[in-house]
Amino acid sequence: TRPNILRTASNAQCRVAATPASDIEDAPLAAIDMGSNSFRVEIARIVRGRYVRIDYVKETVRLGAGLDANGLLSDEAAERGLACLRRFAVKLDGMPQQQVRAVATQTLREAKNRDAFLLRAQAALGHPIEVISGREEARLIYAGVAHLQPSERTRLVIDIGGRSTEMILGVGRKPLRAESFQVGSVSLSLRYFGEGRFTEAAFRRVGDHLVAVLAEQGADDEVIAHVVQTLTAVREQIVTA
């Protein structure tokens, strides 16, 4: 389960940490995560140093499915996103901007018409929206996992999103290396399995694409080999004629 909202809420907590403790206790914090597949809003308070959820809503918007071959976000996808943000705005009514953080990820990193969409999106939500980098997304993912599942051991955190995948190696609460790859469940499904058919040929094309992306971003041969082995195992389980 992706810790999008918890990670951004944790970040919002850091931004108000300089305020008096009594103010933090009283102030609700809100995080909005505009992912490629789902939008989420979470509202919480810090009570005696602990994170306490007040409200949480997740809606499947599939914004990333509306990005065409020319990198343009379709009107239909944009309207789905705006309608969702208007519903979120009701929950944020009256909250000051310093207690709210809204972030958008890979789909809006890619969209060539993102500025036009963001103008409408910010008006719908009533708060600024930040398009974060892939590495910032990875850092926030790790922060959320480290907060929810604390451990001092070295670990690898992987978040498979709609249009990107983040991989973060860290120890305790400190990320040591974070990378974001432009490979996601929605984008691969639409590109290679558009008719819902899982064929040998489609899996071969996916494999070639993944190897190229990983090699371009500096993955070593061992990592690439493990990815290919995993894909082969999945193919053998679900491939159809």
Side-chain angles (χ1 to χ4, degrees):
T1 302
R2 185 176 184 175
N4 299 47
I5 301 304
L6 290 176
R7 72 177 191 241
T8 49
S10 247
N11 198 278
Q13 175 188 344
C14 293
R15 297 212 313 273
V16 299
T19 62
S22 59
D23 291 345
I24 295 175
E25 294 285 338
D26 293 337
L29 305 173
I32 299 88
D33 179 357
M34 298 167 56
S36 296
N37 195 48
S38 301
F39 284 14
R40 299 168 172 86
V41 60
E42 183 159 343
I43 302 172
R45 293 181 188 273
I46 306 302
V47 179
R48 292 187 291 276
R50 300 191 65 180
Y51 179 93
V52 178
R53 177 188 284 179
I54 299 171
D55 197 5
Y56 172 77
V57 176
K58 173 185 174 182
E59 294 194 17
T60 301
V61 174
R62 290 182 63 82
L63 193 71
L67 203 61
D68 67 19
N70 296 315
L72 297 174
L73 190 64
S74 71
D75 292 340
E76 294 81 3
E79 284 303 325
R80 291 197 301 270
L82 293 171
C84 178
L85 293 175
R86 293 186 193 103
R87 290 188 288 272
F88 286 1
V90 175
K91 295 183 175 295
L92 303 176
D93 187 41
M95 291 189 68
Q97 288 188 4
Q98 66 267 26
Q99 292 166 213
V100 177
R101 188 183 189 191
V103 299
T105 56
Q106 185 63 35
T107 294
L108 291 183
R109 287 197 287 268
E110 292 184 56
K112 294 179 180 178
N113 55 345
R114 74 176 185 182
D115 291 344
F117 173 76
L118 284 172
L119 284 174
R120 300 174 66 195
Q122 290 175 149
L125 184 64
H127 291 275
I129 297 170
E130 176 186 0
V131 180
I132 58 175
S133 69
R135 286 187 174 175
E136 172 66 0
E137 182 178 2
R139 185 188 71 81
L140 292 172
I141 289 166
Y142 189 85
V145 171
H147 177 78
L148 289 173
Q149 300 178 356
S151 171
E152 294 306 312
R153 300 176 64 183
T154 300
R155 58 183 167 184
L156 176 66
V157 175
I158 302 174
D159 179 3
I160 302 174
R163 294 192 72 90
S164 69
T165 294
E166 283 65 49
M167 302 177 69
I168 314 97
L169 180 68
V171 178
R173 295 198 174 191
K174 182 179 180 181
L176 302 177
R177 182 176 179 184
E179 295 292 346
S180 178
F181 300 90
Q182 290 187 32
V183 174
S185 58
V186 172
S187 56
L188 288 183
S189 295
L190 291 173
R191 184 171 179 177
Y192 297 106
F193 308 112
E195 297 179 356
R197 289 176 56 83
F198 300 99
T199 65
E200 290 275 357
F203 270 101
R204 283 196 298 271
R205 290 195 296 271
V206 170
D208 291 343
H209 176 72
L210 291 177
V211 168
V213 170
L214 291 170
E216 183 181 350
Q217 295 196 230
D220 61 37
D221 292 342
E222 184 178 2
V223 170
I224 293 175
H226 283 308
V227 169
V228 172
Q229 290 168 7
T230 301
L231 186 63
T232 300
V234 172
R235 183 197 66 204
E236 291 174 349
Q237 292 295 318
I238 66 173
V239 72
T240 60

